[in-house]
């Protein structure tokens, strides 16, 4: 083990000091003995003495050199130790500076504070030369409100003999405040006397400010009147505030860990949510209105803002959403909107709203090629009632008339009050002028009924003028003017009636009314008959089926095609009994064909929208099978594309039942409606009938051929048979055959013909 420098030095000094007496004693002995020797002996003696003295000198020199060597080594070691100590002190200073942590020691006997350089920097006190300061000078830097607590903490560490920590403030001369965390403990002598206190002081101003900011933000969230929720990167709720619970009814425990989607009321579409998330990820922020559902099931609109929080690497950390219930605001807006757009007395649309609705309807009608009817209604004798019984009674009468007008027309139609006793009714998507006449007739009847108001039986009748778009005008102003002129014409004709702006339309409306009247009697008089159009198989040239088409043998007008009366029958509800008559007549005729030896073809029967909505077709088929013995496989039920899409879910249900009974299903006039291909796949159909309007365009510079190609390809891909209607030329036939069309029908082969001619046609083609 290496000796310490001090010990080596001490041993060297002891050796050197021990040699000195020996040398002195040697010299004394030599001088004392030289008197007893002869000259010869003396010379020998001196030689011996010289050798002894030389040896002693050499020993002393060696001892001195050893001492010098030991001293040199000791100095080198001391210098190395001092260097290490200096480095450690520098490292300690750097560590304290970096950590903002100063150290101190208080000699309790003198109350002098021996502090580190960092301590004086933290307290912003000039560092004394001996790095010592008075305890009171240091305490004076502490905020006056905190001095007692700091002094008490020091005394507690001494009296209680355990470490103590205390947070306090420094009040600096320029008024700045620093926050300090001090930790200390006392050291005691063997007899238990406290000797000194040692401790550290750390500047936690930044930490305190951060904590204060965090506390402020937490308080803002906690006490905010807006509901706030925060989700993680996976959009799972990690915290909510009390306002969230008050608004939604869900406690924090019920919400945390769940996706906020559980709050959705289901009114916001998937596309809207997608737009929302796109904005959030692209811009880091989104705000807008969505609908949510409370825990009690109540649905409400909320205005919500969502902010995205990312980390330093740009990764999503949190989503912060805050929202409020805007039900009251929306209700107020709706109320103001209602006041601005509705008549205050009757609740009907006002003149301003009528203009808006009319302009919108005209834009749609121009785009879709449909018609609009505008009815200008003025009450007859209203002024007499108003002047005689008072405005209050007159107002009640207007309210009752408004109610009757609203109840008479469809929900999609517009009813407005212009002022006084003038009303306007707008009918959109009008197919026939006769439809308008029917509605006008109902309005005349409804308004003309007596009204019981305040004990009075009041009678008023309407004079109605009718203008149609586009026949009577191509903008709202012209239509209003012409309808007003027609209304005055109605008054001139004796009041309590309706008049079309155009006399020809007036004649057509009257014709429609006569057809309706005759139609009601035609069923009882058995004036209807069936004609049959053959359907040809292109592969074999044989008759694959017949389509049953109704005709009306009118006693005065002769044989009428369906286009003359089917529309009236649908509007008046007569289509139901007429459709059932066609069904039974077609089944009986099919049975007659079978009994006459014809086979290998099917009977196509057209099904109306009313029959589909009624849902009694399966029952009707059961009755025919039971009473006539007809085979369901011999029948094809044909429904138009538009009828199938009116109520697609119900259509699927009914068609599934019919298909299960063995009936074939065909979609008629395909391409003229707005089919959803998803529903088309769901319908249990066998045939797809290509509308004649596309077949007519084959060979022309139009899109008809393209549509035919697409329809045939679509049908075959779905495993369906394609029937082309309206084939009238050889060019059309050759084109359809080249495209793989399966069946065709049209005037090129045969017009619709009576049963006896159809029988002969089948025998000729199928022999």
């Amino acid at each position: 083990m290496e000796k310490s420098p001090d010990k080596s030095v001490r041993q060297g000094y002891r050796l050197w000091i021990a040699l000195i007496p020996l040398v002195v004693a040697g010299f004394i002995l030599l001088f004392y003995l030289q008197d007893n020797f002869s000259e010869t002996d003396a010379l020998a003696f001196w030689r011996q003495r010289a050798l002894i003295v030389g040896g002693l000198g050499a020993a002393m020199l060696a001892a001195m050199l050893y001492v010098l060597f030991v001293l040199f080594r000791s100095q080198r070691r001391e210098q190395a130790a001092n260097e290490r100590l200096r480095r450690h002190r520098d490292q300690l200073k750097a560590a304290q500076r970096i950590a903002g942590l100063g150290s101190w020691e208080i000699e309790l006997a003198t109350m002098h504070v021996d502090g580190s350089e960092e301590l004086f920097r933290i307290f912003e006190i000039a560092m004394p030369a001996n790095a010592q300061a008075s305890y009171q000078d240091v305490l004076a830097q502490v905020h006056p409100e905190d001095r007692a607590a700091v002094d008490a903490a020091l005394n507690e560490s001494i009296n209680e003999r355990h470490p103590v920590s205390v947070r306090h403030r420094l009040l600096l001369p320029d008024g700045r405040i620093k926050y300090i965390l001090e930790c200390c403990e006392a050291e005691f002598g063997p007899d238990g006397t406290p000797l000194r206190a040692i401790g550290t002081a750390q500047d936690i101003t930044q930490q305190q400010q951060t904590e204060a900011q965090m506390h402020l933000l937490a308080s803002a969230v906690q006490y905010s009147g807006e509901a706030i929720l925060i989700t993680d990167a996976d959009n799972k709720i990690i915290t909510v505030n009390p306002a969230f619970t008050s608004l939604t009814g869900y406690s924090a425990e019920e919400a945390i860990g769940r996706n906020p989607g559980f709050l959705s009321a289901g009114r916001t579409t998937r596309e809207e949510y997608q737009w929302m998330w796109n904005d959030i990820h692209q811009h880091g922020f989104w705000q807008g209105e969505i609908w949510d559902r409370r825990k009690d099931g109540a649905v409400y609109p909320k205005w919500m803002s969502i902010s995205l929080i990312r980390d330093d690497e740009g990764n999503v950390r949190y989503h912060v959403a805050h929202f409020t219930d805007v039900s009251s605001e929306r209700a107020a807006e709706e109320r103001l909107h209602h006041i601005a757009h509705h008549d205050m007395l009757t609740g009907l649309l006002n003149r301003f709203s009528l203009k808006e609705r009319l302009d919108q309807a005209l834009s749609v009608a121009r785009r879709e090629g449909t018609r609009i009817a505008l009815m200008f209604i003025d009450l007859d004798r209203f002024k007499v009632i108003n002047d005689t019984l008072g405005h209050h009674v007159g107002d009640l009468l207007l309210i009752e008339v408004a109610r009757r007008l609203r109840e008479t027309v469809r929900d999609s139609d517009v009813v407005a009050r212009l002022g006084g006793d003038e009303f306007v009714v707008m009918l959109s998507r009008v197919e026939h002028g006769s439809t308008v006449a029917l509605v006008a007739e109902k309005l005349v009847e409804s308004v003309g009924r007596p009204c019981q108001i305040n004990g009075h039986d009041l009678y008023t009748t309407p004079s109605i003028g009718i203008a149609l778009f586009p026949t009577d005008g191509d903008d709202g102003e012209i239509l209003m003017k012409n309808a007003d002129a027609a209304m005055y014409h109605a008054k001139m004709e004796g009041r309590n009636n309706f008049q079309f702006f155009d006399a020809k339309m007036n004649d057509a409306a009257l014709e429609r009314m006569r057809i309706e009247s005759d139609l009601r009697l035609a069923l009882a008089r058995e004036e209807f008959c069936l004609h049959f159009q053959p359907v040809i198989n292109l592969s074999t040239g044989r008759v694959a089926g017949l389509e049953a088409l109704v005709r009306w043998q009118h006693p005065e007008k002769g044989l009428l095609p369906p286009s003359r009366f089917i529309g009236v029958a649908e509007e008046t509800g007569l289509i139901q009994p007429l459709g059932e008559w066609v069904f039974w007549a077609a089944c009986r005729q099919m049975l007659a064909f079978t009994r006459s030896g014809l086979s290998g073809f099917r009977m196509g029967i057209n099904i109306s929208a009313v029959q589909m909505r009624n849902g009694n077709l399966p029952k009707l088929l059961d009755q025919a099978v039971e009473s006539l013995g007809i085979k369901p496989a011999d029948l094809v039920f044909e429904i138009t594309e538009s009828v199938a899409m009116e109520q697609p879910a119900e259509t699927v249900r009914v068609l599934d039942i019919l298909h299960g009974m063995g009936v074939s299903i065909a979609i008629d006039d395909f391409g003229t409606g707005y089919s959803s291909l998803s529903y088309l796949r769901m319908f249990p159909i066998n045939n797809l009938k290509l509308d004649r309007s596309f077949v007519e365009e084959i060979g022309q510079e139009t899109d008809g051929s393209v549509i035919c190609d697409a329809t045939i390809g679509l049908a075959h891909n779905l495993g369906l048979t394609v029937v082309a209607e309206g084939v009238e030329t050889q060019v059309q036939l050759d084109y359809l055959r080249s495209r793989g069309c399966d069946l065709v029908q049209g005037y090129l082969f045969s017009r619709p013909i009576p049963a006896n001619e159809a029988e002969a046609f089948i025998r000729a083609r199928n022999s």
Side-chain angles (χ1 to χ4, degrees):
M1 184 173 66
E2 184 180 10
K3 297 180 180 179
S4 66
D6 291 342
K7 188 174 181 181
S8 298
V9 171
R10 286 196 300 269
Q11 289 177 346
Y13 275 118
R14 288 193 191 103
L15 178 61
W16 189 72
I17 291 171
L19 289 175
I20 291 175
L22 293 176
V23 173
V24 173
F27 277 110
I28 292 173
L29 179 62
L30 289 173
F31 279 104
Y32 176 76
L33 293 176
Q34 69 178 343
D35 293 334
N36 299 320
F37 294 106
S38 62
E39 184 176 351
T40 304
D41 294 335
L43 289 173
F45 173 79
W46 279 110
R47 285 194 298 270
Q48 184 180 7
R49 186 177 62 173
L51 291 173
I52 294 171
V53 170
L56 291 173
M60 290 184 68
L61 179 61
M64 186 175 294
L65 290 175
Y66 175 75
V67 169
L68 291 174
F69 173 73
V70 170
L71 288 174
F72 176 76
R73 285 185 59 190
S74 175
Q75 185 179 15
R76 289 292 301 272
R77 289 174 179 173
E78 184 177 357
Q79 289 175 348
N82 290 336
E83 178 63 23
R84 287 195 298 271
L85 180 60
R86 185 190 63 79
R87 286 201 306 270
H88 290 162
R89 286 177 178 174
D90 290 343
Q91 290 172 353
L92 179 60
K93 284 183 182 180
Q96 289 189 355
R97 185 184 69 255
I98 294 170
L101 182 70
S103 60
W104 52 262
E105 179 179 318
I106 301 176
E107 289 293 337
L108 297 179
T110 62
M111 295 303 290
H112 285 162
V113 179
D114 185 1
S116 67
E117 183 179 332
E118 184 63 19
L119 176 74
F120 290 102
R121 190 196 66 78
I122 292 173
F123 277 72
E124 299 191 17
I125 301 174
M127 187 174 180
N130 59 356
Q132 288 187 347
S134 167
Y135 172 71
Q136 292 300 325
D137 290 343
V138 175
L139 190 63
Q141 294 295 103
V142 177
H143 196 286
E145 296 177 0
D146 297 343
R147 289 172 188 169
V150 172
D151 197 49
L154 176 61
N155 291 326
E156 179 184 345
S157 70
I158 297 171
N159 297 332
E160 301 297 331
R161 294 174 177 257
H162 63 70
V164 174
S165 64
V166 61
R167 287 180 180 234
H168 65 84
R169 293 166 291 172
L170 298 182
L171 179 59
L172 303 177
D174 59 3
R176 288 180 295 117
I177 298 291
K178 277 188 176 182
Y179 289 87
I180 306 299
L181 173 63
E182 294 207 55
C183 301
C184 70
E185 64 179 22
E187 291 184 351
F188 300 87
D191 59 352
T193 302
L195 301 177
R196 65 185 62 82
I198 60 173
T200 60
Q202 184 177 14
D203 184 354
I204 58 170
T205 303
Q206 185 64 41
Q207 176 184 343
Q208 182 70 23
Q209 291 174 347
T210 302
E211 290 178 356
Q213 184 73 13
M214 293 297 293
H215 180 72
L216 176 63
L217 294 176
S219 298
V221 171
Q222 186 74 5
Y223 298 106
S224 172
E226 290 190 354
I228 297 176
L229 66 83
I230 301 176
T231 67
D232 60 17
D234 296 325
N235 203 29
K236 301 296 184 183
I237 298 174
I238 57 177
T239 187
V240 298
N241 69 344
F244 171 90
T245 299
S246 300
L247 178 58
T248 67
Y250 290 97
S251 67
E253 293 74 16
E254 292 173 309
I256 290 175
R258 303 177 69 179
N259 187 295
F262 81 94
L263 299 170
S264 174
R267 295 190 180 183
T268 306
T269 65
R270 183 183 297 273
E271 290 75 16
E272 290 171 328
Y273 278 125
Q274 187 62 48
W275 294 334
M276 179 188 79
W277 282 110
N278 287 342
D279 275 355
I280 291 172
H281 290 300
Q282 289 177 9
H283 308 296
F285 178 78
W286 176 88
Q287 65 177 358
E289 183 176 310
I290 62 175
W291 285 81
D292 270 4
R293 188 183 306 277
R294 293 187 176 91
K295 186 177 180 180
D296 61 7
V299 174
Y300 66 99
K302 71 178 184 183
W303 183 262
M304 181 167 68
S305 300
I306 302 177
S307 300
L308 196 65
I309 299 177
R310 299 181 184 272
D311 59 20
D312 295 339
E313 287 74 33
N315 300 315
V316 175
R317 293 294 304 276
Y318 305 106
H319 308 89
V320 180
H322 56 94
F323 52 91
T324 56
D325 183 352
V326 292
S327 299
S328 57
E329 289 86 346
R330 294 297 170 265
E333 290 175 2
E334 290 177 4
R335 177 62 181 163
L336 291 174
H337 184 273
H338 188 274
I339 292 173
H341 291 79
H342 291 77
D343 175 55
M344 291 297 295
L345 177 64
T346 63
L348 297 177
L349 297 178
N350 57 19
R351 185 186 295 271
F352 173 74
S353 293
L354 173 64
K355 183 179 185 306
E356 281 189 343
R357 297 289 185 89
L358 181 57
D359 290 343
Q360 292 172 3
L362 289 172
S363 297
V364 173
R366 292 187 188 100
R367 184 171 63 251
E368 298 182 355
T370 56
R371 297 196 288 179
I372 294 174
L374 200 66
M375 299 183 177
F376 200 107
I377 303 171
D378 186 87
L379 300 182
D380 304 326
R381 301 180 62 256
F382 175 77
K383 187 175 185 303
V384 175
I385 296 172
N386 204 38
D387 293 344
T388 304
L389 300 178
H391 293 287
H392 176 65
V393 174
D395 288 347
L396 294 177
L397 178 59
L398 291 173
I399 293 172
E400 176 61 19
V401 169
R403 184 187 67 81
R404 294 183 183 186
L405 293 176
R406 183 71 271 172
E407 289 181 350
T408 303
V409 298
R410 301 170 298 183
D411 291 339
S412 59
D413 296 328
V414 174
V415 181
R417 181 187 177 215
L418 299 183
D421 61 346
E422 292 181 340
F423 299 86
V424 171
V425 173
M426 183 185 72
L427 308 179
S428 56
R429 299 182 184 278
V430 175
E431 295 184 1
H432 307 287
S434 57
T435 305
V436 182
L438 177 62
V439 175
E441 189 178 59
K442 290 180 179 178
L443 291 173
V444 170
E445 188 276 330
S446 177
V447 175
R449 294 198 307 269
C451 300
Q452 286 281 341
I453 298 178
N454 285 358
H456 301 284
D457 287 331
L458 303 182
Y459 294 88
T460 185
T461 55
S463 294
I464 304 176
I466 304 171
L468 296 179
F469 169 84
T471 310
D472 301 329
D474 58 0
D475 62 38
E477 184 178 351
I478 295 176
L479 286 174
M480 287 288 289
K481 182 185 70 172
N482 291 343
D484 188 32
M487 183 272 294
Y488 279 105
H489 182 67
K491 285 188 176 292
M492 293 173 57
E493 292 295 320
R495 304 176 186 274
N496 194 27
N497 70 91
F498 62 89
Q499 295 292 325
F500 284 92
F501 177 72
D502 192 295
K504 294 180 180 179
M505 295 188 67
N506 197 5
D507 293 342
L510 294 175
E511 173 67 14
R512 180 243 170 237
M513 292 177 63
R514 285 192 290 267
I515 288 178
E516 179 184 347
S517 177
D518 292 344
L519 196 58
R520 295 183 182 278
L521 300 174
L523 283 170
R525 294 174 178 173
E526 297 184 355
E527 294 176 358
F528 294 104
C529 63
L530 291 182
H531 282 195
F532 304 91
Q533 186 171 40
V535 178
I536 308 300
N537 186 316
L538 284 182
S539 298
T540 63
R542 297 168 62 86
V543 176
L546 296 174
E547 182 178 1
L549 301 169
V550 66
R551 298 290 187 267
W552 183 6
Q553 189 64 54
H554 195 279
E556 298 175 1
K557 299 180 174 60
L559 192 65
L560 300 180
S563 59
R564 293 285 300 275
F565 60 87
I566 288 296
V568 177
E570 289 176 341
E571 293 170 5
T572 58
L574 293 174
I575 192 66
Q576 178 68 25
L578 179 58
E580 291 188 6
W581 181 90
V582 170
F583 172 79
W584 285 105
C587 287
R588 293 190 185 95
Q589 187 58 59
M590 186 64 187
L591 185 62
F593 285 146
T594 302
R595 289 175 176 172
S596 67
L598 297 179
S599 62
F601 65 93
R602 294 175 175 177
M603 178 68 70
I605 303 173
N606 290 287
I607 304 300
S608 70
V610 174
Q611 288 174 291
M612 283 300 299
R613 287 195 296 267
N614 235 355
N616 68 339
L617 283 173
K619 182 178 179 181
L620 203 64
L621 180 60
D622 269 338
Q623 293 174 354
V625 171
E626 184 177 349
S627 60
L628 300 179
I630 193 170
K631 298 177 181 178
D634 290 338
L635 301 179
V636 179
F637 282 179
E638 300 184 8
I639 59 172
T640 64
E641 184 181 12
S642 56
V643 168
M645 295 307 300
E646 278 187 6
Q647 295 178 320
E650 177 64 13
T651 301
V652 169
R653 187 189 70 83
V654 174
L655 294 186
D656 277 340
I657 295 174
L658 294 173
H659 191 265
M661 297 173 69
V663 175
S664 294
I665 307 297
I667 295 293
D668 201 3
D669 299 339
F670 183 76
T672 60
Y674 300 90
S675 291
S676 165
L677 292 180
S678 61
Y679 274 114
L680 190 61
R681 289 189 296 108
M682 292 172 62
F683 293 149
I685 57 178
N686 306 93
N687 300 344
L688 207 61
K689 301 193 74 172
L690 185 61
D691 187 66
R692 66 180 64 249
S693 61
F694 302 124
V695 175
E696 289 174 355
E697 297 178 356
I698 291 176
Q700 304 177 16
E701 294 182 359
T702 61
D703 294 332
S705 300
V706 177
I707 294 175
C708 288
D709 291 352
T711 303
I712 294 171
L714 172 65
H716 285 166
N717 286 334
L718 293 175
L720 305 178
T721 299
V722 181
V723 184
E725 299 180 296
V727 179
E728 298 183 359
T729 68
Q730 189 63 40
V731 172
Q732 295 168 353
L733 179 63
D734 293 341
Y735 183 87
L736 291 169
R737 179 181 282 114
S738 69
R739 293 302 186 271
C741 183
D742 304 295
L743 307 174
V744 295
Q745 66 183 95
Y747 285 5
L748 180 62
F749 298 96
S750 173
R751 294 174 175 271
I753 52 180
N756 58 336
E757 296 181 25
E759 181 179 349
F761 186 90
I762 294 171
R763 294 187 185 280
R765 297 283 301 197
N766 292 5
S767 59

